[in-house]
Amino acid sequence: MAVALVNTNSNTGSGSSASIALSAQSHTTGNTLVVGVRSAGWRQVTVTDTAGNFYSCCGSSVNFGGSEHLTLFVARNIAGNANNVITAAFADVNGSSSAVSFRYIVSAQYSGLGSIPTLNIASAIGNRTVSSNTLTAPTISSLGTTGVFVTVSQIAASGTTWTPGSGFSFVVQDADNTVYMQDMTFTSLQSSVSPSVTSSSGTSKDILAIVLAEVSDGSGGGGSGTGESGCVS
């Protein structure tokens, strides 16, 4: 079954709060949800939803002098809900609820991944750049034969214009254009991909990349990439 983008969602927070939620949306049993969260300040981030799905943190990145953070989450083989609300909550290093400003969240729902018995989930944290308009993530290899490659990027300046990298398509961005998601689906063997994205602004930015794909070698192992990892945003 080919992987397909079903729907997307985004929200930009105003003021200071310890959470940010997306509007209710229909999510189908067996599908996959990819969520990107950006926040100001060093915080632990957890993502939950109305349906009780589990979201795995696949990587996080700190930029702009440590003041802005981006985290990427995935929930697969989800329980469906016709009015599902996805919420990101922020906590301090002690796990106590902690309000933050500059809160952003984007999501994408994909079909066609739930039927894959062994899913290769590999991630890579891209370079941080101050002057270049093009942002490139490390190559991820051993992608498999059927799946989707997703990247989420953040930038310090609002109102920027994003251009997808070669082979990628726009998925969703927040109202301020500071968080941008793109993807590339595939149905034949992919040995490796080096994702990139270009912005109209040369100010500080960074990129997170993940591949969700059928394992091609039968080992059940993940692909490879380089960079930082973790779930603190």
Side-chain angles (χ1 to χ4, degrees):
M1 181 179 180
V3 177
L5 177 65
V6 178
N7 54 28
T8 64
N9 210 345
S10 68
N11 188 21
T12 300
S14 60
S16 183
S17 176
S19 66
I20 184 171
L22 292 166
S23 59
Q25 194 171 50
S26 178
H27 293 149
T28 303
T29 298
N31 282 354
T32 297
L33 292 166
V34 179
V35 178
V37 181
R38 180 192 175 200
S39 63
W42 186 262
R43 296 292 187 274
Q44 297 183 56
V45 183
T46 57
V47 173
T48 58
D49 66 22
T50 308
N53 291 303
F54 175 76
Y55 289 81
S56 299
C57 175
C58 295
S60 64
S61 185
V62 184
N63 207 340
F64 321 141
S67 63
E68 299 292 337
H69 306 268
L70 182 68
T71 314
L72 181 60
F73 296 86
V74 173
R76 59 180 302 257
N77 282 323
I78 64 169
N81 190 296
N83 295 286
N84 201 31
V85 175
I86 298 174
T87 302
F90 307 100
D92 60 22
V93 293
N94 297 314
S96 299
S97 180
S98 181
V100 297
S101 56
F102 303 111
R103 294 162 293 117
Y104 305 87
I105 184 170
V106 296
S107 73
Q109 178 184 190
Y110 291 92
S111 62
L113 291 167
S115 60
I116 296 176
T118 305
L119 196 68
N120 171 8
I121 303 179
S123 61
I125 312 302
N127 66 306
R128 303 179 181 121
T129 178
V130 174
S131 57
S132 174
N133 290 68
T134 299
L135 192 58
T136 303
T139 297
I140 294 183
S141 59
S142 303
L143 300 189
T145 55
T146 301
V148 61
F149 200 109
V150 182
T151 78
V152 179
S153 306
Q154 70 168 346
I155 193 167
S158 61
T160 192
T161 299
W162 297 91
T163 302
S166 177
F168 283 81
S169 300
F170 166 77
V171 174
V172 65
Q173 63 187 15
D174 71 280
D176 288 344
N177 297 1
T178 64
V179 181
Y180 178 86
M181 185 183 290
Q182 62 178 7
D183 72 5
M184 179 181 70
T185 59
F186 52 90
T187 56
S188 59
L189 180 62
Q190 303 290 312
S191 58
S192 65
V193 169
S194 298
S196 65
V197 64
T198 301
S199 71
S200 59
S201 172
T203 190
S204 298
K205 50 190 171 291
D206 52 3
I207 185 172
L208 302 177
I210 185 170
V211 61
L212 304 167
E214 181 179 7
V215 174
S216 59
D217 61 4
S219 67
S224 63
T226 60
E228 300 172 66
S229 63
C231 300
V232 177
S233 179

